[in-house]
Amino acid sequence: EPEVTQTPSHQVTQMGQEVILRCVPISNHLYFYWYRQILGQKVEFLVSFYNNEISEKSEIFDDQFSVERPDGSNFTLKIRSTKLEDSAMYFCASRRLAGGAKNIQYFGAGTRLSVL
Amino acid sequence: DQQVKQNSPSLSVQEGRISILNCDYTNSMFDYFLWYKKYPAEGPTFLISISSIKDKNEDGRFTVFLNKSAKHLSLHIVPSQPGDSAVYFCAASEEGGGNKLTFGTGTQLKVEL
């Protein structure tokens, strides 16, 4: 069964450093998302991406964040200068554009980001 | 911002019995609802969903009920199995735009032998 894959599974970085989290969405999906979950809190939407541009972003997704689809398979989240409060699980998700299951988002296993 | 609420942080049920997980929402623009199951160190796994034009959707042991007037949905698992022990998240989306998901805080289900 196709799945969303995320790398790395755990990323440790120093405050102020740049990190790039990588995702390979399901191959026939055209809508991509990043969410995060701070320990003990709920899963929060960060950004959605379609047709090579951001379609919606949350207040969390400030100028320190960016997303990119550098090729036909990868979808990345970059945090330019990490802060302690960026420590969280980051989940990538994808969904179809049309069809009966178009509203269902499928999630990767996540990347645990630890900012020291 | 508590647009989706799961008021029970945990639920314990005996194997073979019914598990009922509840979710309330406040945003009347939500028109699609999903339940996800999550094990530790894994991502949310899609379980079942329902459109706002329906009031019930069933898939094997899992049934989701939607009461739009009460802005309430519930997930029924019957019979419950030990492998169902996980955190269950309710999520909702609005048609249009990016269909971002708004999640509840989750309910930890423990199915005991």
Side-chain angles (χ1 to χ4, degrees):
Chain A
E1 185 175 312
E3 59 181 23
V4 176
T5 56
Q6 290 186 243
T7 55
S9 56
H10 189 193
Q11 175 84 53
V12 181
T13 189
Q14 296 290 324
M15 191 169 56
Q17 294 296 304
E18 175 183 287
V19 293
I20 298 176
L21 309 184
R22 302 180 192 280
C23 170
V24 179
I26 294 173
S27 62
N28 63 347
H29 288 189
L30 296 177
Y31 241 112
F32 314 118
Y33 303 83
W34 284 101
Y35 293 83
R36 79 172 186 191
Q37 185 181 29
I38 294 172
L39 189 64
Q41 298 185 23
K42 61 181 178 180
V43 177
E44 301 174 287
F45 167 77
L46 291 178
V47 65
S48 58
F49 190 87
Y50 168 68
N51 200 25
N52 277 323
E53 60 183 29
I54 290 173
S55 58
E56 188 175 0
K57 60 183 180 180
S58 72
E59 291 177 355
I60 303 166
F61 195 89
D62 62 21
D63 292 344
Q64 292 301 311
F65 291 87
S66 62
V67 288
E68 191 179 32
R69 187 153 164 84
D71 54 44
S73 59
N74 290 285
F75 179 51
T76 62
L77 174 69
K78 182 195 289 187
I79 309 175
R80 266 179 264 284
S81 178
T82 50
K83 304 188 255 267
L84 294 175
E85 54 264 37
D86 294 327
S87 295
M89 280 292 288
Y90 287 81
F91 295 108
C92 174
S94 68
R95 70 170 174 93
R96 294 179 186 172
L97 189 59
K102 70 181 176 70
N103 289 312
I104 299 171
Q105 294 181 29
Y106 294 89
F107 285 76
T111 293
R112 176 169 299 284
L113 177 64
S114 300
V115 182
L116 306 178
Chain B
D1 180 5
Q2 292 271 340
Q3 294 188 71
V4 178
K5 292 185 244 188
Q6 292 176 256
N7 291 320
S8 298
S10 64
L11 175 67
S12 189
V13 170
Q14 278 197 316
E15 182 182 11
R17 306 294 290 267
I18 185 170
S19 296
I20 300 176
L21 296 98
N22 294 302
C23 178
D24 296 292
Y25 62 96
T26 57
N27 186 346
S28 57
M29 299 301 290
F30 287 146
D31 60 359
Y32 200 81
F33 304 90
L34 308 92
W35 285 94
Y36 286 87
K37 180 165 90 167
K38 187 179 180 303
Y39 295 114
E42 294 184 14
T45 301
F46 170 72
L47 205 52
I48 192 168
S49 60
I50 188 166
S51 164
S52 60
I53 62 173
K54 297 186 175 181
D55 54 20
K56 177 183 173 181
N57 188 26
E58 192 172 350
D59 183 2
R61 297 186 296 115
F62 303 93
T63 303
V64 55
F65 296 91
L66 175 61
N67 182 333
K68 277 173 46 181
S69 60
K71 293 191 175 70
H72 176 85
L73 62 155
S74 61
L75 173 68
H76 293 210
I77 306 172
V78 56
S80 301
Q81 298 173 353
D84 295 330
S85 297
V87 178
Y88 288 78
F89 290 99
C90 169
S93 69
E94 296 178 42
E95 183 63 44
N99 286 88
K100 69 178 183 186
L101 294 179
T102 301
F103 281 83
T105 49
T107 296
Q108 173 79 58
L109 173 66
K110 184 176 180 183
V111 180
E112 297 171 320
L113 298 170

